[in-house]
Amino acid sequence: MTATDNPASLPAQSYWYRRLPTGADVHRLDNGLFAVTGNAAVQEALTHPGIVAEHPLKASARAFGPNVLDADGPAHRAFRALLAPVLSAGRIAEYKQTLIPGLVDALVDSIVGTETDDFYHSFAHKVPYGIVCTILGIDVSLEDRFHELTRPLARLLDYPTEETRQTHTNVTELLRLIEEHRASRTAGEHSLLETIERTRDRKGITLTDSEVRSTALLFFLAGTETSSAFITSLVYCMGRSIFSLDELRDNAVRDDFIEEVLRLYPPVQTIVRFASDDVTVQGVGIPRHSAVLASIAGANRDPRVFDNPDRFRPGRSLKGSIPFAVGAHACPGAMLAKAEFSLLIERLIERCSDVVITRDRMAMESQSFAHPVDFSVDFKAK
């Protein structure tokens, strides 16, 4: 495929950045579309003040209204300020003690001693949905209902967007459920909604109740779907026997393992931005109103930054690895996600004699949160 063949379909291709001509990091495609692939170029694009997230035609903005993912400047900072107390180091330490262990144990109980060819759809969502349901103040018994409603919304964040009447119906239903639980006082004083509303009032941030709920829902979508995708990648790499389970008992080895999986399998492989003015990235001019596809996957496998970038090598220098992106829109939930991933590995080690991939087509889902697909994994019980 060349740079001019159906450029809008590029992000659906696994490792699409490899299909572009070599020798350049910024590629002008058709229809006002630019692709950015090298590590330095991607970091420059994601931190460039003239390349922004906000665009009036974005489907996510139309579906959710003003929200943390689609805002820039002061509005974005206001949304982030609302989320900061919920994702603080102290609050995450609390989640690690009181919330995450029970959810992880329940997941591990359900998979130990089983072989599954549908880990992503049947199991990977259990922990992240349980965490965010609890943070939102939603009864965890509704986890499967939230999962059913939320999964199709991931396509709203893709390029090109898949927007349907159903996606708007699902957003409306999710917001209704959140509001219903808040009205019934299901939400506790430490729920996301309660916390961000108190933060809004205390700091005098001018956001409406509707904007608060939309940001809560976007937090839910991003937090659950990225974690579900990455948990799938984590289990996949464990099953490839890159390390023995005994080696992963060491905290430092486990942390290196997680960081290397994040480098190779970032759950968000492509980030869409827009040029608000005529800008230049790595010496290439990008005209105003152009769409910019920044490849996190390409940045994390840039051979100028990482020796043998396609090789799984925990312990390598990870300077330049950007699985959670960079700049103002970098993922605010990275610390929470890593706590979740580490405890899952720890519990699997305690309960399993081995985790083995028994069938592997070496395939990837590249959009709507990337992860390996079409594999089977056996969680052998001790």
Side-chain angles (χ1 to χ4, degrees), residues 270-315:
T270 305
I271 294 177
V272 183
R273 293 287 184 263
F274 302 90
S276 61
D277 295 296
D278 293 343
V279 299
T280 300
V281 174
Q282 297 289 293
V284 177
I286 299 177
R288 184 184 181 192
H289 300 315
S290 299
V292 178
L293 303 180
S295 175
I296 297 293
N300 278 3
R301 296 193 186 214
D302 188 334
R304 294 163 296 186
V305 178
F306 305 102
D307 292 334
N308 298 309
D310 295 326
R311 182 176 297 173
F312 193 100
R313 200 175 79 198

CSV table of all heavy atoms in Angstrom, one decimal, residues 270-315:
chain,number,residue,atom,x,y,z
A,270,THR,N,-3.1,4.8,17.7
A,270,THR,CA,-3.1,6.0,16.8
A,270,THR,C,-3.9,7.1,17.5
A,270,THR,O,-5.0,6.8,18.0
A,270,THR,CB,-3.8,5.7,15.5
A,270,THR,OG1,-3.1,4.6,14.8
A,270,THR,CG2,-3.8,6.9,14.5
A,271,ILE,N,-3.4,8.3,17.5
A,271,ILE,CA,-4.1,9.4,18.1
A,271,ILE,C,-4.4,10.4,17.0
A,271,ILE,O,-3.5,10.8,16.2
A,271,ILE,CB,-3.2,10.1,19.2
A,271,ILE,CG1,-3.1,9.1,20.4
A,271,ILE,CG2,-3.8,11.4,19.7
A,271,ILE,CD1,-2.2,9.6,21.5
A,272,VAL,N,-5.6,10.9,17.0
A,272,VAL,CA,-6.0,11.8,15.9
A,272,VAL,C,-6.0,13.3,16.5
A,272,VAL,O,-6.6,13.5,17.6
A,272,VAL,CB,-7.5,11.5,15.4
A,272,VAL,CG1,-7.9,12.5,14.3
A,272,VAL,CG2,-7.5,10.1,15.0
A,273,ARG,N,-5.4,14.1,15.8
A,273,ARG,CA,-5.3,15.5,16.1
A,273,ARG,C,-5.6,16.4,14.9
A,273,ARG,O,-5.7,15.9,13.8
A,273,ARG,CB,-4.0,15.9,16.7
A,273,ARG,CG,-3.7,15.3,18.1
A,273,ARG,CD,-4.5,15.9,19.2
A,273,ARG,NE,-4.1,15.4,20.5
A,273,ARG,CZ,-4.8,14.4,21.1
A,273,ARG,NH1,-5.8,13.8,20.5
A,273,ARG,NH2,-4.4,14.0,22.3
A,274,PHE,N,-5.7,17.7,15.1
A,274,PHE,CA,-6.1,18.6,14.0
A,274,PHE,C,-5.2,19.9,14.1
A,274,PHE,O,-5.0,20.4,15.2
A,274,PHE,CB,-7.6,19.0,14.0
A,274,PHE,CG,-8.5,17.8,14.0
A,274,PHE,CD1,-8.9,17.2,15.1
A,274,PHE,CD2,-8.9,17.3,12.8
A,274,PHE,CE1,-9.7,16.1,15.1
A,274,PHE,CE2,-9.7,16.2,12.7
A,274,PHE,CZ,-10.1,15.6,13.9
A,275,ALA,N,-4.8,20.3,12.9
A,275,ALA,CA,-4.0,21.5,12.9
A,275,ALA,C,-4.9,22.8,13.0
A,275,ALA,O,-5.7,23.0,12.1
A,275,ALA,CB,-3.2,21.6,11.6
A,276,SER,N,-4.7,23.5,14.0
A,276,SER,CA,-5.6,24.7,14.2
A,276,SER,C,-5.0,25.9,13.4
A,276,SER,O,-5.7,26.9,13.2
A,276,SER,CB,-5.7,25.1,15.7
A,276,SER,OG,-4.4,25.4,16.2
A,277,ASP,N,-3.7,25.8,13.1
A,277,ASP,CA,-3.1,26.8,12.2
A,277,ASP,C,-2.1,26.1,11.3
A,277,ASP,O,-2.0,24.9,11.4
A,277,ASP,CB,-2.3,27.8,13.1
A,277,ASP,CG,-3.1,28.6,14.0
A,277,ASP,OD1,-3.9,29.4,13.5
A,277,ASP,OD2,-3.0,28.5,15.3
A,278,ASP,N,-1.5,26.9,10.4
A,278,ASP,CA,-0.5,26.3,9.5
A,278,ASP,C,0.7,26.0,10.5
A,278,ASP,O,1.2,26.9,11.2
A,278,ASP,CB,0.0,27.3,8.5
A,278,ASP,CG,-1.1,27.5,7.4
A,278,ASP,OD1,-2.0,26.7,7.3
A,278,ASP,OD2,-1.0,28.5,6.7
A,279,VAL,N,1.2,24.7,10.5
A,279,VAL,CA,2.2,24.4,11.5
A,279,VAL,C,3.3,23.6,10.7
A,279,VAL,O,3.1,23.2,9.5
A,279,VAL,CB,1.7,23.5,12.6
A,279,VAL,CG1,0.7,24.3,13.4
A,279,VAL,CG2,1.1,22.2,12.1
A,280,THR,N,4.4,23.4,11.4
A,280,THR,CA,5.5,22.6,10.8
A,280,THR,C,5.9,21.6,11.8
A,280,THR,O,6.1,21.9,13.0
A,280,THR,CB,6.7,23.5,10.5
A,280,THR,OG1,6.3,24.5,9.5
A,280,THR,CG2,7.9,22.7,9.9
A,281,VAL,N,6.1,20.3,11.4
A,281,VAL,CA,6.5,19.2,12.2
A,281,VAL,C,7.7,18.5,11.5
A,281,VAL,O,7.6,18.1,10.4
A,281,VAL,CB,5.4,18.2,12.5
A,281,VAL,CG1,6.0,17.0,13.2
A,281,VAL,CG2,4.3,18.8,13.3
A,282,GLN,N,8.8,18.5,12.2
A,282,GLN,CA,10.1,18.0,11.6
A,282,GLN,C,10.3,18.5,10.2
A,282,GLN,O,10.7,17.8,9.3
A,282,GLN,CB,10.0,16.4,11.5
A,282,GLN,CG,9.8,15.7,12.9
A,282,GLN,CD,11.1,15.8,13.7
A,282,GLN,OE1,12.1,15.2,13.3
A,282,GLN,NE2,11.1,16.5,14.8
A,283,GLY,N,10.1,19.8,10.0
A,283,GLY,CA,10.4,20.5,8.8
A,283,GLY,C,9.3,20.4,7.7
A,283,GLY,O,9.5,20.9,6.6
A,284,VAL,N,8.3,19.7,8.0
A,284,VAL,CA,7.2,19.4,7.0
A,284,VAL,C,6.0,20.3,7.3
A,284,VAL,O,5.5,20.3,8.5
A,284,VAL,CB,6.7,18.0,6.9
A,284,VAL,CG1,5.6,17.8,6.0
A,284,VAL,CG2,7.9,17.1,6.6
A,285,GLY,N,5.6,21.1,6.4
A,285,GLY,CA,4.4,22.0,6.6
A,285,GLY,C,3.1,21.2,6.6
A,285,GLY,O,2.9,20.4,5.8
A,286,ILE,N,2.3,21.5,7.6
A,286,ILE,CA,0.9,20.9,7.7
A,286,ILE,C,-0.1,22.1,7.7
A,286,ILE,O,-0.1,22.9,8.6
A,286,ILE,CB,0.8,20.1,9.0
A,286,ILE,CG1,1.8,19.0,9.0
A,286,ILE,CG2,-0.6,19.6,9.2
A,286,ILE,CD1,1.8,18.1,10.3
A,287,PRO,N,-0.9,22.2,6.7
A,287,PRO,CA,-1.8,23.3,6.6
A,287,PRO,C,-2.9,23.3,7.6
A,287,PRO,O,-3.3,22.2,8.2
A,287,PRO,CB,-2.4,23.2,5.2
A,287,PRO,CG,-1.5,22.2,4.5
A,287,PRO,CD,-0.9,21.3,5.5
A,288,ARG,N,-3.4,24.4,8.0
A,288,ARG,CA,-4.6,24.6,8.9
A,288,ARG,C,-5.7,23.7,8.4
A,288,ARG,O,-6.0,23.5,7.3
A,288,ARG,CB,-5.0,26.0,8.9
A,288,ARG,CG,-6.1,26.3,9.9
A,288,ARG,CD,-6.5,27.8,9.8
A,288,ARG,NE,-7.6,28.1,10.7
A,288,ARG,CZ,-8.3,29.2,10.7
A,288,ARG,NH1,-8.1,30.1,9.7
A,288,ARG,NH2,-9.2,29.5,11.6
A,289,HIS,N,-6.4,23.1,9.4
A,289,HIS,CA,-7.6,22.2,9.3
A,289,HIS,C,-7.2,20.8,8.9
A,289,HIS,O,-8.1,19.9,8.7
A,289,HIS,CB,-8.6,22.8,8.3
A,289,HIS,CG,-9.2,24.1,8.6
A,289,HIS,ND1,-9.6,24.4,9.9
A,289,HIS,CD2,-9.3,25.2,7.9
A,289,HIS,CE1,-10.0,25.6,10.0
A,289,HIS,NE2,-9.9,26.2,8.7
A,290,SER,N,-5.9,20.5,8.7
A,290,SER,CA,-5.5,19.1,8.3
A,290,SER,C,-5.8,18.2,9.5
A,290,SER,O,-5.5,18.6,10.7
A,290,SER,CB,-4.1,19.1,7.9
A,290,SER,OG,-3.8,19.9,6.8
A,291,ALA,N,-6.2,16.9,9.2
A,291,ALA,CA,-6.2,15.9,10.3
A,291,ALA,C,-4.8,15.3,10.4
A,291,ALA,O,-4.1,15.1,9.4
A,291,ALA,CB,-7.2,14.8,9.9
A,292,VAL,N,-4.4,15.0,11.6
A,292,VAL,CA,-3.0,14.5,11.8
A,292,VAL,C,-3.2,13.1,12.6
A,292,VAL,O,-3.7,13.1,13.7
A,292,VAL,CB,-2.2,15.4,12.7
A,292,VAL,CG1,-0.8,14.9,13.0
A,292,VAL,CG2,-2.1,16.8,11.9
A,293,LEU,N,-2.7,12.0,12.0
A,293,LEU,CA,-2.7,10.7,12.6
A,293,LEU,C,-1.3,10.5,13.2
A,293,LEU,O,-0.3,10.3,12.5
A,293,LEU,CB,-3.0,9.6,11.6
A,293,LEU,CG,-4.3,9.7,10.8
A,293,LEU,CD1,-4.4,8.6,9.9
A,293,LEU,CD2,-5.5,9.8,11.8
A,294,ALA,N,-1.2,10.5,14.5
A,294,ALA,CA,0.1,10.3,15.2
A,294,ALA,C,0.2,8.9,15.7
A,294,ALA,O,-0.7,8.4,16.5
A,294,ALA,CB,0.2,11.3,16.4
A,295,SER,N,1.2,8.2,15.2
A,295,SER,CA,1.3,6.7,15.5
A,295,SER,C,2.1,6.5,16.8
A,295,SER,O,3.3,6.5,16.7
A,295,SER,CB,1.9,6.0,14.3
A,295,SER,OG,2.2,4.6,14.6
A,296,ILE,N,1.4,6.2,17.9
A,296,ILE,CA,2.1,5.8,19.1
A,296,ILE,C,2.9,4.5,18.9
A,296,ILE,O,4.0,4.3,19.3
A,296,ILE,CB,1.1,5.6,20.3
A,296,ILE,CG1,0.4,7.0,20.6
A,296,ILE,CG2,1.8,5.1,21.5
A,296,ILE,CD1,1.3,8.0,21.1
A,297,ALA,N,2.3,3.6,18.1
A,297,ALA,CA,2.9,2.3,17.9
A,297,ALA,C,4.2,2.5,17.1
A,297,ALA,O,5.2,1.9,17.4
A,297,ALA,CB,2.0,1.4,17.1
A,298,GLY,N,4.2,3.4,16.1
A,298,GLY,CA,5.4,3.7,15.3
A,298,GLY,C,6.5,4.4,16.2
A,298,GLY,O,7.7,4.1,16.1
A,299,ALA,N,6.0,5.3,17.0
A,299,ALA,CA,7.0,6.0,17.9
A,299,ALA,C,7.7,5.0,18.9
A,299,ALA,O,8.9,5.1,19.1
A,299,ALA,CB,6.3,7.0,18.7
A,300,ASN,N,6.9,4.0,19.3
A,300,ASN,CA,7.5,3.0,20.3
A,300,ASN,C,8.3,1.9,19.7
A,300,ASN,O,8.9,1.1,20.4
A,300,ASN,CB,6.3,2.4,21.1
A,300,ASN,CG,5.9,3.3,22.3
A,300,ASN,OD1,6.4,4.4,22.4
A,300,ASN,ND2,4.9,2.8,23.0
A,301,ARG,N,8.3,1.9,18.3
A,301,ARG,CA,9.1,0.9,17.7
A,301,ARG,C,10.1,1.6,16.7
A,301,ARG,O,10.5,1.0,15.7
A,301,ARG,CB,8.2,-0.1,16.9
A,301,ARG,CG,7.4,-1.0,17.9
A,301,ARG,CD,6.8,-2.1,17.1
A,301,ARG,NE,5.8,-2.9,18.0
A,301,ARG,CZ,5.6,-4.2,17.9
A,301,ARG,NH1,6.4,-4.9,17.1
A,301,ARG,NH2,4.7,-4.8,18.7
A,302,ASP,N,10.4,2.8,17.0
A,302,ASP,CA,11.4,3.5,16.1
A,302,ASP,C,12.8,3.0,16.4
A,302,ASP,O,13.3,3.1,17.5
A,302,ASP,CB,11.3,5.0,16.5
A,302,ASP,CG,12.1,5.9,15.6
A,302,ASP,OD1,13.1,5.4,14.9
A,302,ASP,OD2,11.8,7.1,15.4
A,303,PRO,N,13.4,2.4,15.3
A,303,PRO,CA,14.8,1.8,15.5
A,303,PRO,C,15.8,2.8,15.9
A,303,PRO,O,16.9,2.4,16.3
A,303,PRO,CB,15.0,1.1,14.2
A,303,PRO,CG,14.2,1.9,13.2
A,303,PRO,CD,12.9,2.3,13.9
A,304,ARG,N,15.6,4.1,15.7
A,304,ARG,CA,16.6,5.1,16.0
A,304,ARG,C,16.5,5.4,17.5
A,304,ARG,O,17.5,6.0,18.1
A,304,ARG,CB,16.3,6.4,15.3
A,304,ARG,CG,16.5,6.3,13.8
A,304,ARG,CD,15.8,7.4,13.0
A,304,ARG,NE,14.4,7.4,13.2
A,304,ARG,CZ,13.5,8.2,12.6
A,304,ARG,NH1,14.0,9.1,11.7
A,304,ARG,NH2,12.2,8.1,12.8
A,305,VAL,N,15.5,4.9,18.2
A,305,VAL,CA,15.4,5.1,19.6
A,305,VAL,C,15.5,3.7,20.4
A,305,VAL,O,16.1,3.7,21.5
A,305,VAL,CB,14.0,5.7,20.0
A,305,VAL,CG1,13.8,5.9,21.5
A,305,VAL,CG2,13.8,7.0,19.3
A,306,PHE,N,15.0,2.6,19.8
A,306,PHE,CA,15.1,1.3,20.5
A,306,PHE,C,15.8,0.3,19.6
A,306,PHE,O,15.4,0.1,18.4
A,306,PHE,CB,13.6,0.8,20.7
A,306,PHE,CG,12.8,1.8,21.5
A,306,PHE,CD1,11.9,2.6,20.9
A,306,PHE,CD2,13.0,1.9,22.9
A,306,PHE,CE1,11.1,3.5,21.6
A,306,PHE,CE2,12.2,2.8,23.6
A,306,PHE,CZ,11.3,3.6,22.9
A,307,ASP,N,16.9,-0.3,20.1
A,307,ASP,CA,17.6,-1.3,19.3
A,307,ASP,C,16.6,-2.5,19.2
A,307,ASP,O,16.0,-2.9,20.1
A,307,ASP,CB,18.8,-1.7,20.1
A,307,ASP,CG,19.9,-0.7,20.1
A,307,ASP,OD1,19.9,0.2,19.2
A,307,ASP,OD2,20.7,-0.6,21.0
A,308,ASN,N,16.7,-3.1,18.0
A,308,ASN,CA,15.8,-4.3,17.7
A,308,ASN,C,14.4,-4.0,18.3
A,308,ASN,O,13.9,-4.7,19.2
A,308,ASN,CB,16.4,-5.5,18.4
A,308,ASN,CG,17.7,-5.9,17.8
A,308,ASN,OD1,17.9,-6.0,16.6
A,308,ASN,ND2,18.7,-6.1,18.6
A,309,PRO,N,13.7,-3.0,17.8
A,309,PRO,CA,12.5,-2.5,18.4
A,309,PRO,C,11.3,-3.5,18.4
A,309,PRO,O,10.4,-3.4,19.3
A,309,PRO,CB,12.1,-1.3,17.5
A,309,PRO,CG,12.7,-1.6,16.2
A,309,PRO,CD,14.0,-2.3,16.5
A,310,ASP,N,11.3,-4.5,17.5
A,310,ASP,CA,10.3,-5.5,17.5
A,310,ASP,C,10.5,-6.7,18.5
A,310,ASP,O,9.7,-7.6,18.6
A,310,ASP,CB,10.0,-6.1,16.1
A,310,ASP,CG,9.5,-5.0,15.2
A,310,ASP,OD1,8.8,-4.1,15.6
A,310,ASP,OD2,9.9,-5.0,14.0
A,311,ARG,N,11.7,-6.7,19.1
A,311,ARG,CA,12.0,-7.8,20.0
A,311,ARG,C,11.6,-7.4,21.4
A,311,ARG,O,11.7,-6.3,21.9
A,311,ARG,CB,13.5,-8.0,20.0
A,311,ARG,CG,14.0,-9.1,21.0
A,311,ARG,CD,15.5,-9.3,20.8
A,311,ARG,NE,15.8,-9.8,19.5
A,311,ARG,CZ,17.1,-9.9,19.0
A,311,ARG,NH1,18.1,-9.6,19.9
A,311,ARG,NH2,17.3,-10.3,17.8
A,312,PHE,N,11.0,-8.4,22.1
A,312,PHE,CA,10.5,-8.2,23.5
A,312,PHE,C,11.8,-8.3,24.4
A,312,PHE,O,12.3,-9.4,24.6
A,312,PHE,CB,9.5,-9.2,23.9
A,312,PHE,CG,8.7,-8.9,25.1
A,312,PHE,CD1,7.5,-8.4,25.1
A,312,PHE,CD2,9.3,-9.2,26.4
A,312,PHE,CE1,6.8,-8.1,26.3
A,312,PHE,CE2,8.6,-9.0,27.5
A,312,PHE,CZ,7.4,-8.4,27.5
A,313,ARG,N,12.2,-7.2,25.0
A,313,ARG,CA,13.4,-7.2,25.8
A,313,ARG,C,13.2,-6.3,27.1
A,313,ARG,O,13.6,-5.2,27.1
A,313,ARG,CB,14.6,-6.7,25.0
A,313,ARG,CG,15.9,-7.1,25.5
A,313,ARG,CD,17.0,-6.6,24.6
A,313,ARG,NE,17.3,-5.2,24.8
A,313,ARG,CZ,18.0,-4.5,23.9
A,313,ARG,NH1,18.4,-5.0,22.7
A,313,ARG,NH2,18.2,-3.2,24.1
A,314,PRO,N,12.6,-6.9,28.1
A,314,PRO,CA,12.4,-6.1,29.3
A,314,PRO,C,13.7,-5.7,29.9
A,314,PRO,O,14.7,-6.4,29.8
A,314,PRO,CB,11.7,-7.2,30.3
A,314,PRO,CG,11.0,-8.1,29.3
A,314,PRO,CD,12.0,-8.2,28.1
A,315,GLY,N,13.7,-4.6,30.5
A,315,GLY,CA,15.0,-4.1,31.1
A,315,GLY,C,15.7,-3.1,30.2
A,315,GLY,O,16.7,-2.4,30.7
